[in-house]
Amino acid sequence: MTQEELFKILVAHCKEYGFIFPSSEIYDGLGAVYDYGQMGVELKNNIKMYWWEAMTRLHENIVGIDSAIFMHPKIWEASGHVSAFNDPLIDNKDSKKRYRADVLIEDYIGKLEDKIRKDVEKGKKKFGDAFDEEKFIETNPNCIRNNAKIAEVKKRMADALNANDLEALRQIIIDCEIVCPISGTKNWTEVRQFNLMFSTSMGSTAEGANTIYLRPETAQGIFVNYLNVQKTGRMKIPFGIAQIGKAFRNEIVARQFIFRMREFEQMEMQFFIKPGTELDWFAKWKENRLAWHKALGMGDENYRFHDHDKLAHYANAATDIEFRFPFGFKELEGIHSRTNFDLGNHQKFSGKKIEYFDPEIGESYTPYVVETSIGVDRMVLAVLSNSYKEEQLENGESRVVLSIPAPLAPVKVAVMPLLKNNQELVDLAQKIMDDLKYDYNCQYDEKDSIGKRYRRQDAIGTPFCVTVDHDSLEDGCVTIRHRDSMAQERVKIEDLNSIIGKEVSLNNLLRKLK
Ligand code: GAP
């Protein structure tokens, strides 16, 4: 099965098991907008809790806020979003389809990378154990040619984007003979800039209405509250402000399910620091955030840093933490050294002094900022795509299992009486459920055979199933079944809480983060 086919199956699975639905589905959906179902919302909340606690509980100098989505329109002028939050778009004249010029070029680079991967696979098969991948890539003529092409195209694209040279961007598409995936032709328009912010109006009459924007990032809500939090919280630099909330972007190339949405959620933290220390803090936050991801145990090899060739209008250093999604390594989180661009501009545009008096040096300055910014939905996709598995079992059957990191699993334990028409078993199962439900999200399930019930729980990623049988009534023990190994063991009912807790506890996960 190709990764693309697997991805389609995952999308269907998310719908079938109540994780993610297309928005407004009974009206045929709304492009790139999704709703979270009963399982999806639990997973999403667990991810948010893991991030929130890691930021605010583990760092005495980081506090959280929850700012409004509607903000004064001048904020978006000060932040540069009105003038610079644009995507370079190009249309194919035959299919009438619109694309992001940079994404077309990135896809072209992706195809060259695929070619290199295929040549490496062929080499592996041909040379067996004696195969040296590094040497092969360095010496194989196809790999040399494709790598050189990748380097050339990347450089041209970075130069064009940095210089905001739309004609140069178009020329790369022409020179690389990139065709429209729909019409297959190279009949392209000019490249134009397109602002990504959604606008609406505030006020009861059209004449009195003010155009306001739906925030395209949560970060600005933090910047404009910097003084409030610093003063009321008596915060001393360095300190951070964290926020989780919705953001909106009129993405033209909205695709790959919840990877690129028009309404999505961000978890952002702005860390306010002394000017000149930003690159040290940038390095520290890179390390800190990668450790947060790796602690989930989804495979260290599935993460990599990608330093930006083109810096955003506010940054003097930036990197992405990329994750290996089914469609390749893509950005999961951004870490940006934002200088004093935002606070400085808000000072200018609002006319309010936004400074910090540093008692250690006896001087005032506008703080610099290092930001960490991760999309909740992208994190959901990373977890789901990494955990989806189709397994062949020894008895000839197969199962679909979501091996979601246990602390993030929507349901932590399913409690099942062996038979639904035996009142004693049902009562004991209900009692166990009543004891566990204060600590964990539990499901009670009495329908169908035990095997079918296990499969249902595997499909939503429940780490533990607990079965109550006739012996339980006599010996006070139950069978606990582990999701990933499918191992079953007999344990005392009073030990259940600690056995489950060891694996699913968010606190234990947080303890891994030093
Ligand atoms: N405040 C900085 C900022 O917003 P960004 O790189 O544009 O930076 C940060 O976005 C993160 O938000 C991304 O790494 C990604 O996880 C998520 N994100 C951005 N656009 C998104 C979209 N259209 N759909 C889903 N997630 C998105």
Side-chain angles (χ1 to χ4, degrees), residues 256-269:
Q256 285 153 338
F257 194 32
I258 54 169
F259 183 80
R260 199 178 296 287
M261 302 157 86
R262 296 201 167 104
E263 174 180 339
F264 58 101
E265 227 171 330
Q266 287 185 315
M267 305 189 280
E268 299 202 294
M269 193 279 300

Side-chain angles (χ1 to χ4, degrees), residues 180-240:
C180 164
I182 307 286
S183 67
T185 71
K186 295 176 249 172
N187 198 4
W188 296 110
T189 62
E190 298 306 304
V191 179
R192 288 171 300 118
Q193 292 286 21
F194 178 87
N195 195 284
L196 293 179
M197 283 197 294
F198 283 105
S199 63
T200 184
S201 43
M202 188 176 253
S204 52
T205 60
E207 299 93 79
N210 249 331
T211 298
I212 55 168
Y213 298 100
L214 299 190
R215 65 182 180 197
E217 62 172 11
T218 59
Q220 296 305 322
I222 294 178
F223 291 125
V224 298
N225 277 297
Y226 159 79
L227 279 181
N228 285 335
V229 174
Q230 194 271 318
K231 293 215 164 107
T232 58
R234 289 176 290 115
M235 307 300 288
K236 289 199 172 60
I237 274 180
F239 74 91

Side-chain angles (χ1 to χ4, degrees), residues 217 249 251 259 261 266 268 331-332 338 371 373 375:
E217 62 172 11
R249 295 182 190 178
E251 299 280 4
F259 183 80
M261 302 157 86
Q266 287 185 315
E268 299 202 294
E331 174 185 349
L332 172 58
R338 291 181 78 129
E371 159 187 78
S373 172

Side-chain angles (χ1 to χ4, degrees), residues 236-254:
K236 289 199 172 60
I237 274 180
F239 74 91
I241 304 179
Q243 166 157 243
I244 300 177
K246 289 270 185 169
F248 305 83
R249 295 182 190 178
N250 195 2
E251 299 280 4
I252 293 304
V253 188

Side-chain angles (χ1 to χ4, degrees), residues 46 49-50 53 57 295-296 404-409 411-413 439-441 463-464 496-513:
N46 293 338
M49 187 61 84
Y50 175 40
E53 300 290 90
R57 222 206 287 182
L296 286 169
I404 298 173
L408 303 184
V411 177
K412 304 293 194 258
V413 53
D439 292 308
Y440 314 109
N441 190 21
F464 294 105
L496 276 176
N497 201 325
S498 70
I499 294 170
I500 296 165
K502 246 182 236 156
E503 256 186 66
V504 308
S505 147
L506 181 60
N507 291 352
N508 285 347
L509 179 58
L510 289 168
R511 277 202 182 89
K512 288 189 194 168
L513 307 173

Side-chain angles (χ1 to χ4, degrees), residues 436-504:
L436 293 177
K437 74 182 178 193
Y438 295 96
D439 292 308
Y440 314 109
N441 190 21
C442 306
Q443 249 188 20
Y444 175 79
D445 193 357
E446 59 175 26
K447 200 167 166 282
D448 299 322
S449 69
I450 284 289
K452 273 196 182 156
R453 285 183 254 175
Y454 283 164
R455 293 291 165 273
R456 269 203 295 271
Q457 295 301 328
D458 286 344
I460 57 169
T462 306
F464 294 105
C465 291
V466 168
T467 306
V468 177
D469 58 24
H470 296 96
D471 289 343
S472 309
L473 302 173
E474 306 299 324
D475 64 6
C477 290
V478 286
T479 302
I480 190 165
R481 184 248 192 196
H482 300 254
R483 176 194 67 196
D484 297 338
S485 64
M486 292 185 290
Q488 300 185 19
E489 54 178 328
R490 202 77 191 153
V491 301
K492 286 205 176 105
I493 292 173
E494 64 258 34
D495 292 342
L496 276 176
N497 201 325
S498 70
I499 294 170
I500 296 165
K502 246 182 236 156
E503 256 186 66
V504 308

